[in-house]
Amino acid sequence: MKTEMFFSRKDSTSKLDKFESVDMIDHHDHILGWMKELWNKWRGHLHAKYVKDKPIYQALKNLPKGVGKKEWEWLVNEHFSSESFQGEKDGNPPDLAIIFLETRN
């Protein structure tokens, strides 16, 4: 796994070891969870600012700074337009209690 390289501890004589007293392996799950939370918040910000209440063709034209064209097309066409993102099949958002239980496992 690529994250193992990032979290692997160097010996204390290494110039790359900036956190000599902290074993990064112990913080692996916490850091990855935090990164996932930041990614989800950023993605939510992109949706709110560039996609919400706009037709798909307009959202595709409105490319955010720092996002590649192919990545943006995928986010708009595949992710933001997906049933799981939009809500239930009847057009209503999913029950928050169910979401809470599913995301806390």
Side-chain angles (χ1 to χ4, degrees), residues 7 22-31:
F7 290 104
V22 177
D23 193 358
M24 295 302 285
I25 296 294
D26 294 339
H27 302 286
H28 179 267
D29 292 337
H30 171 73
I31 292 170

Side-chain angles (χ1 to χ4, degrees), residues 1 9 15-17 21 25 30 35 48 69 73 100:
M1 178 180 245
R9 183 155 164 71
K15 292 180 182 179
L16 298 176
D17 189 10
S21 63
I25 296 294
H30 171 73
M35 290 169 65
K69 185 175 181 179
E73 288 173 355
F100 180 81

